[in-house]
Structure formats: C-alpha cells, structure tokens
Amino acid sequence: MIFSDYNKLNITFCGMMGSGKSLIGRKFAKIINYNFLDTDSLIEKKTGKSINQIFNDSGEIFFRELEENYIGKILLKKNYVFSLGGGVMNNFKLRNIIKKNSFNIYLQVETNLLSKRVESSKNRPLINNLNIKQKLNELMKERESFYKEADLTIKNDKKISDTINELKKKFNIYD
C-alpha cells in the first residue's frame, strides 16, 4: 500500500463545495486501487433524502448530527478514498478521527473560481438563494483553518489532469 509510510487506513479529500473532492477523489481512488465513497452521497443513500431535503425538513444541525454518526463509523474502514462534505472539518470529533485514520488532502480553490463552479448548482443548501460569493467567503473564513490542518494541500484551480498528476508525483505513482 502506497500510504503505509504514513500509517493511515485511508485517504480523505477535504475542501469547500466545488473544490473537486468527489471528482478528484473518484479518479485518484481508481489510480491507487482503493474504494471510493462520497460522504454526502452516503448520507443521501442512508436517509433516502437529498441533502437539500434534509436541510429543508430538519435543518443544518440535524444534518451535522447525521454526518457525525455516519462518517465517524465509515472513517474506520481501510483502503478507501473519501470525499468529505465541505463542513465535516468543522466537527471536532470527526477531525480527530480523520487525523488518526486518514491521510487528509485539502483541495484548495480560490473563492472566485468556487463561485463560478457552483453558481448553477441547485443541490447546495448553504448557498441556495444567497449571494454565492459572499456566502463562500463566510464559509471559507469559518473553515479554512481546519482545512489547512490537512496532511497535504493541493491547489485544484487548473485542469483535473494537472491535479491528478500532482498527486501522482507527490506519492511517486508512475503509470
């Protein structure tokens, strides 16, 4: 296992909505032959509701409780790449589990680019019907210090292939 040097069970990708966690995570999992799991998709599957429905029906606090319950358990799996929801790193308990069991990679993207990436998205309850750039700036201020605790920070502001190549180079993965 290429991550045995780090003594970690799995890999997590953290960052803001629109940073590319799911896309990069899925591709990287294939390259290193790990399973892939998007934590927001897991919550949707477990509850039978979309993230928007959960926020609308029960609120953000309830959603964050679901995150803690479901994600706290799955992070103990081995040989997985997880795409974490944007707010997961705000949770102290989950942050500690991630630090202990995962090699955590922060996909860093500037707010202007994030807003362009998510402006037409209808399934992001924290930015629905709001000034997207302003809300992203608020969320970034709230979350960035936690993101920066990651084991590795990668700028994901170019092509997907550039980010994947940077990851491969970092971990000495050669095709």
Side-chain angles (χ1 to χ4, degrees):
M1 176 173 105
I2 62 172
F3 292 93
S4 59
D5 293 349
Y6 300 101
N7 198 26
K8 304 289 183 170
L9 298 176
N10 51 57
I11 299 157
T12 50
F13 281 94
C14 71
M16 290 289 289
M17 64 181 87
S19 63
K21 301 177 302 278
S22 297
L23 194 57
I24 299 296
R26 185 174 285 110
K27 288 182 178 294
F28 194 59
K30 282 184 182 171
I31 290 166
I32 62 172
N33 201 27
Y34 273 29
N35 296 302
F36 174 77
L37 187 63
D38 178 296
T39 61
D40 282 349
S41 296
L42 170 75
I43 291 169
E44 289 179 334
K45 185 177 176 185
K46 293 280 190 183
T47 62
K49 293 182 174 185
S50 71
I51 302 299
N52 274 341
Q53 287 175 305
I54 296 168
F55 268 73
N56 289 337
D57 295 349
S58 307
E60 184 178 359
I61 292 171
F62 180 74
F63 174 76
R64 299 300 174 198
E65 290 170 0
L66 290 174
E67 266 186 336
E68 184 173 311
N69 291 334
Y70 292 129
I71 297 170
K73 292 176 187 139
I74 63 161
L75 286 172
L76 302 176
K77 292 181 177 278
K78 191 174 182 178
N79 297 339
Y80 268 79
V81 172
F82 295 107
S83 166
L84 302 172
V88 167
M89 296 305 291
N90 284 31
N91 182 304
F92 178 77
K93 180 180 174 185
L94 292 177
R95 234 180 14 255
N96 285 335
I97 295 170
I98 290 164
K99 284 179 187 176
K100 181 179 177 190
N101 297 323
S102 300
F103 187 90
N104 191 19
I105 302 168
Y106 168 33
L107 291 180
Q108 187 178 45
V109 179
E110 296 301 319
T111 309
N112 288 337
L113 182 53
L114 286 174
S115 68
K116 287 177 187 164
R117 289 181 181 178
V118 301
E119 67 187 356
S120 63
S121 178
K122 301 292 182 229
N123 59 349
R124 299 184 189 274
L126 290 177
I127 60 168
N128 285 348
N129 305 314
L130 297 173
N131 178 320
I132 293 171
K133 201 177 283 188
Q134 181 181 338
K135 184 62 179 181
L136 288 172
N137 280 322
E138 288 171 19
L139 291 170
M140 185 66 88
K141 282 180 187 162
E142 179 185 307
R143 298 172 175 177
E144 191 168 35
S145 64
F146 300 129
Y147 294 154
K148 286 186 173 183
E149 293 177 19
D151 299 298
L152 175 65
T153 298
I154 300 271
K155 286 195 180 289
N156 188 29
D157 53 1
K158 298 180 187 88
K159 293 187 293 188
I160 295 163
S161 59
D162 292 338
T163 303
I164 292 294
N165 287 334
E166 190 172 342
L167 286 166
K168 288 164 69 173
K169 182 179 173 185
K170 173 68 181 164
F171 298 108
N172 299 314
I173 301 169
Y174 305 102
D175 295 336

